[in-house]
Short mmCIF file of all heavy atoms in Angstrom, two decimals:
data_model
loop_
_atom_site.label_atom_id
_atom_site.label_comp_id
_atom_site.label_asym_id
_atom_site.label_seq_id
_atom_site.Cartn_x
_atom_site.Cartn_y
_atom_site.Cartn_z
N PHE A 59 2.55 2.71 14.86
CA PHE A 59 1.69 3.66 15.57
C PHE A 59 1.26 2.93 16.83
O PHE A 59 0.51 1.97 16.77
CB PHE A 59 0.49 4.03 14.71
CG PHE A 59 -0.14 5.36 15.05
CD1 PHE A 59 -0.28 6.34 14.08
CD2 PHE A 59 -0.58 5.63 16.33
CE1 PHE A 59 -0.85 7.59 14.38
CE2 PHE A 59 -1.15 6.86 16.64
CZ PHE A 59 -1.29 7.84 15.66
N ALA A 60 1.80 3.36 17.98
CA ALA A 60 1.44 2.71 19.24
C ALA A 60 0.36 3.52 19.95
O ALA A 60 0.44 4.73 20.05
CB ALA A 60 2.67 2.56 20.12
N LEU A 61 -0.67 2.81 20.42
CA LEU A 61 -1.80 3.47 21.06
C LEU A 61 -1.69 3.46 22.58
O LEU A 61 -2.51 4.04 23.28
CB LEU A 61 -3.10 2.78 20.62
CG LEU A 61 -3.34 2.96 19.12
CD1 LEU A 61 -4.29 1.90 18.60
CD2 LEU A 61 -3.87 4.35 18.82
N GLY A 62 -0.69 2.75 23.08
CA GLY A 62 -0.46 2.68 24.52
C GLY A 62 0.76 1.80 24.74
O GLY A 62 1.35 1.32 23.78
N PRO A 63 1.14 1.60 26.01
CA PRO A 63 2.31 0.76 26.26
C PRO A 63 2.07 -0.67 25.75
O PRO A 63 1.05 -1.26 26.06
CB PRO A 63 2.44 0.79 27.79
CG PRO A 63 1.13 1.27 28.31
CD PRO A 63 0.47 2.07 27.23
N GLY A 64 2.98 -1.17 24.92
CA GLY A 64 2.82 -2.52 24.39
C GLY A 64 1.66 -2.66 23.45
O GLY A 64 1.13 -3.77 23.27
N MET A 65 1.22 -1.58 22.82
CA MET A 65 0.06 -1.64 21.92
C MET A 65 0.36 -1.08 20.53
O MET A 65 -0.25 -0.08 20.12
CB MET A 65 -1.13 -0.88 22.52
CG MET A 65 -1.75 -1.55 23.74
SD MET A 65 -3.02 -0.49 24.46
CE MET A 65 -4.31 -0.63 23.24
N PRO A 66 1.27 -1.72 19.78
CA PRO A 66 1.48 -1.26 18.39
C PRO A 66 0.30 -1.72 17.53
O PRO A 66 -0.29 -2.77 17.78
CB PRO A 66 2.76 -1.98 17.98
CG PRO A 66 2.77 -3.24 18.79
CD PRO A 66 2.08 -2.90 20.11
N GLU A 67 -0.04 -0.91 16.55
CA GLU A 67 -1.17 -1.21 15.66
C GLU A 67 -0.83 -2.29 14.63
O GLU A 67 0.32 -2.41 14.22
CB GLU A 67 -1.47 0.03 14.81
CG GLU A 67 -2.49 0.96 15.34
CD GLU A 67 -2.98 1.87 14.22
OE1 GLU A 67 -3.40 1.34 13.17
OE2 GLU A 67 -2.93 3.10 14.39
N THR A 68 -1.87 -2.98 14.16
CA THR A 68 -1.68 -3.92 13.04
C THR A 68 -1.58 -3.18 11.71
O THR A 68 -1.15 -3.77 10.72
CB THR A 68 -2.86 -4.92 12.95
OG1 THR A 68 -4.10 -4.22 13.03
CG2 THR A 68 -2.78 -5.96 14.04
N ASP A 69 -1.99 -1.92 11.66
CA ASP A 69 -1.84 -1.16 10.42
C ASP A 69 -0.44 -0.56 10.40
O ASP A 69 -0.02 0.06 11.39
CB ASP A 69 -2.89 -0.04 10.36
CG ASP A 69 -3.04 0.53 8.96
OD1 ASP A 69 -2.48 -0.08 8.01
OD2 ASP A 69 -3.70 1.58 8.80
N GLY A 70 0.28 -0.76 9.30
CA GLY A 70 1.63 -0.19 9.18
C GLY A 70 2.69 -1.23 8.85
O GLY A 70 3.20 -1.26 7.73
N PRO A 71 3.00 -2.13 9.83
CA PRO A 71 4.08 -3.10 9.55
C PRO A 71 3.86 -3.97 8.31
O PRO A 71 4.79 -4.12 7.51
CB PRO A 71 4.15 -3.92 10.85
CG PRO A 71 3.73 -2.94 11.91
CD PRO A 71 2.63 -2.12 11.25
N PRO A 72 2.64 -4.51 8.07
CA PRO A 72 2.48 -5.29 6.83
C PRO A 72 2.74 -4.45 5.58
O PRO A 72 3.43 -4.90 4.64
CB PRO A 72 1.01 -5.76 6.88
CG PRO A 72 0.69 -5.80 8.35
CD PRO A 72 1.41 -4.60 8.91
N GLY A 73 2.23 -3.23 5.55
CA GLY A 73 2.44 -2.35 4.40
C GLY A 73 3.90 -2.02 4.20
O GLY A 73 4.43 -2.06 3.08
N ALA A 74 4.59 -1.71 5.31
CA ALA A 74 6.02 -1.37 5.23
C ALA A 74 6.82 -2.55 4.71
O ALA A 74 7.71 -2.39 3.86
CB ALA A 74 6.52 -0.95 6.62
N ALA A 75 6.51 -3.77 5.20
CA ALA A 75 7.27 -4.96 4.81
C ALA A 75 7.04 -5.31 3.34
O ALA A 75 7.98 -5.65 2.62
CB ALA A 75 6.89 -6.13 5.72
N VAL A 76 5.79 -5.22 2.89
CA VAL A 76 5.49 -5.56 1.49
C VAL A 76 6.13 -4.54 0.55
O VAL A 76 6.72 -4.90 -0.48
CB VAL A 76 3.95 -5.63 1.27
CG1 VAL A 76 3.61 -5.70 -0.22
CG2 VAL A 76 3.37 -6.84 2.00
N LEU A 77 6.09 -3.26 0.92
CA LEU A 77 6.72 -2.23 0.10
C LEU A 77 8.25 -2.40 0.11
O LEU A 77 8.90 -2.31 -0.94
CB LEU A 77 6.33 -0.83 0.61
CG LEU A 77 6.96 0.36 -0.10
CD1 LEU A 77 6.66 0.35 -1.60
CD2 LEU A 77 6.47 1.69 0.52
N GLY A 78 8.80 -2.67 1.28
CA GLY A 78 10.24 -2.86 1.39
C GLY A 78 10.73 -4.03 0.54
O GLY A 78 11.75 -3.94 -0.14
N ARG A 79 9.96 -5.13 0.56
CA ARG A 79 10.34 -6.29 -0.24
C ARG A 79 10.34 -5.95 -1.73
O ARG A 79 11.25 -6.31 -2.47
CB ARG A 79 9.40 -7.46 0.02
CG ARG A 79 9.74 -8.67 -0.84
CD ARG A 79 8.89 -9.87 -0.56
NE ARG A 79 7.51 -9.69 -1.00
CZ ARG A 79 6.65 -10.69 -1.15
NH1 ARG A 79 7.03 -11.93 -0.86
NH2 ARG A 79 5.42 -10.45 -1.54
N ALA A 80 9.31 -5.22 -2.16
CA ALA A 80 9.21 -4.84 -3.58
C ALA A 80 10.42 -3.99 -3.99
O ALA A 80 11.03 -4.21 -5.04
CB ALA A 80 7.92 -4.08 -3.83
N LEU A 81 10.78 -3.02 -3.13
CA LEU A 81 11.90 -2.14 -3.46
C LEU A 81 13.22 -2.89 -3.45
O LEU A 81 14.09 -2.67 -4.28
CB LEU A 81 11.92 -0.95 -2.48
CG LEU A 81 10.72 -0.02 -2.61
CD1 LEU A 81 10.66 0.96 -1.44
CD2 LEU A 81 10.76 0.75 -3.94
N ARG A 82 13.36 -3.83 -2.51
CA ARG A 82 14.57 -4.67 -2.46
C ARG A 82 14.66 -5.48 -3.75
O ARG A 82 15.71 -5.58 -4.36
CB ARG A 82 14.49 -5.57 -1.22
CG ARG A 82 15.81 -6.16 -0.78
CD ARG A 82 16.00 -7.58 -1.22
NE ARG A 82 14.85 -8.44 -0.94
CZ ARG A 82 14.52 -9.46 -1.71
NH1 ARG A 82 15.20 -9.74 -2.80
NH2 ARG A 82 13.46 -10.20 -1.40
N ARG A 83 13.53 -6.03 -4.20
CA ARG A 83 13.55 -6.83 -5.44
C ARG A 83 13.90 -5.98 -6.65
O ARG A 83 14.43 -6.48 -7.64
CB ARG A 83 12.17 -7.46 -5.67
CG ARG A 83 11.90 -8.64 -4.77
CD ARG A 83 10.52 -9.16 -5.06
NE ARG A 83 10.26 -10.42 -4.39
CZ ARG A 83 9.06 -11.01 -4.40
NH1 ARG A 83 8.05 -10.46 -5.06
NH2 ARG A 83 8.89 -12.14 -3.77
N LEU A 84 13.58 -4.68 -6.57
CA LEU A 84 13.90 -3.79 -7.69
C LEU A 84 15.33 -3.25 -7.58
O LEU A 84 15.74 -2.40 -8.37
CB LEU A 84 12.89 -2.63 -7.75
CG LEU A 84 11.46 -3.03 -8.14
CD1 LEU A 84 10.52 -1.84 -8.07
CD2 LEU A 84 11.43 -3.65 -9.54
N GLY A 85 16.06 -3.71 -6.58
CA GLY A 85 17.48 -3.37 -6.52
C GLY A 85 17.88 -2.38 -5.45
O GLY A 85 19.05 -2.01 -5.35
N ALA A 86 16.92 -1.93 -4.62
CA ALA A 86 17.27 -0.96 -3.58
C ALA A 86 17.81 -1.66 -2.34
O ALA A 86 17.47 -2.81 -2.07
CB ALA A 86 16.05 -0.13 -3.22
N ARG A 87 18.63 -0.94 -1.59
CA ARG A 87 19.02 -1.41 -0.25
C ARG A 87 17.98 -0.82 0.70
O ARG A 87 17.77 0.39 0.70
CB ARG A 87 20.42 -0.91 0.09
CG ARG A 87 21.01 -1.58 1.33
CD ARG A 87 22.14 -0.76 1.91
NE ARG A 87 21.61 0.47 2.51
CZ ARG A 87 22.37 1.49 2.89
NH1 ARG A 87 23.66 1.46 2.70
NH2 ARG A 87 21.82 2.57 3.44
N VAL A 88 17.30 -1.66 1.45
CA VAL A 88 16.19 -1.19 2.28
C VAL A 88 16.49 -1.39 3.76
O VAL A 88 16.95 -2.45 4.18
CB VAL A 88 14.88 -1.94 1.91
CG1 VAL A 88 13.71 -1.46 2.75
CG2 VAL A 88 14.56 -1.76 0.42
N ARG A 89 16.27 -0.33 4.54
CA ARG A 89 16.39 -0.40 6.00
C ARG A 89 15.09 0.10 6.60
O ARG A 89 14.39 0.90 5.99
CB ARG A 89 17.54 0.48 6.50
CG ARG A 89 18.91 0.04 6.03
CD ARG A 89 19.38 -1.18 6.83
NE ARG A 89 20.69 -1.62 6.41
CZ ARG A 89 20.94 -2.42 5.36
NH1 ARG A 89 19.93 -2.85 4.61
NH2 ARG A 89 22.16 -2.78 5.07
N TYR A 90 14.80 -0.37 7.81
CA TYR A 90 13.59 0.04 8.51
C TYR A 90 14.00 0.72 9.81
O TYR A 90 15.02 0.37 10.40
CB TYR A 90 12.71 -1.17 8.83
CG TYR A 90 12.35 -1.96 7.59
CD1 TYR A 90 13.21 -2.92 7.07
CD2 TYR A 90 11.15 -1.71 6.91
CE1 TYR A 90 12.89 -3.63 5.93
CE2 TYR A 90 10.84 -2.42 5.75
CZ TYR A 90 11.72 -3.38 5.27
OH TYR A 90 11.40 -4.07 4.13
N VAL A 91 13.20 1.67 10.26
CA VAL A 91 13.46 2.30 11.55
C VAL A 91 12.14 2.49 12.29
O VAL A 91 11.14 2.92 11.71
CB VAL A 91 14.25 3.64 11.40
CG1 VAL A 91 13.52 4.65 10.52
CG2 VAL A 91 14.55 4.25 12.77
N THR A 92 12.13 2.11 13.57
CA THR A 92 10.91 2.24 14.35
C THR A 92 11.23 2.30 15.84
O THR A 92 12.39 2.39 16.23
CB THR A 92 9.92 1.10 14.01
OG1 THR A 92 8.67 1.37 14.63
CG2 THR A 92 10.44 -0.26 14.47
N ASP A 93 10.17 2.25 16.66
CA ASP A 93 10.31 2.24 18.12
C ASP A 93 10.49 0.80 18.60
O ASP A 93 10.05 -0.12 17.91
CB ASP A 93 9.01 2.71 18.79
CG ASP A 93 8.66 4.12 18.47
OD1 ASP A 93 9.52 5.00 18.63
OD2 ASP A 93 7.52 4.34 18.06
N PRO A 94 11.02 0.63 19.81
CA PRO A 94 11.12 -0.74 20.35
C PRO A 94 9.78 -1.48 20.31
O PRO A 94 9.73 -2.67 19.99
CB PRO A 94 11.59 -0.53 21.79
CG PRO A 94 12.30 0.79 21.76
CD PRO A 94 11.62 1.62 20.71
N VAL A 95 8.67 -0.78 20.59
CA VAL A 95 7.36 -1.44 20.69
C VAL A 95 6.89 -2.02 19.35
O VAL A 95 6.14 -3.00 19.33
CB VAL A 95 6.31 -0.46 21.28
CG1 VAL A 95 5.99 0.66 20.31
CG2 VAL A 95 5.02 -1.18 21.68
#
Side-chain angles (χ1 to χ4, degrees):
F59 204 124
L61 296 159
M65 290 174 72
E67 268 197 53
T68 47
D69 196 11
V76 169
L77 177 57
R79 178 177 70 164
L81 294 168
R82 198 260 312 148
R83 284 179 171 174
L84 292 176
R87 191 199 70 192
V88 180
R89 295 284 180 277
Y90 303 84
V91 58
T92 189
D93 296 309
V95 69

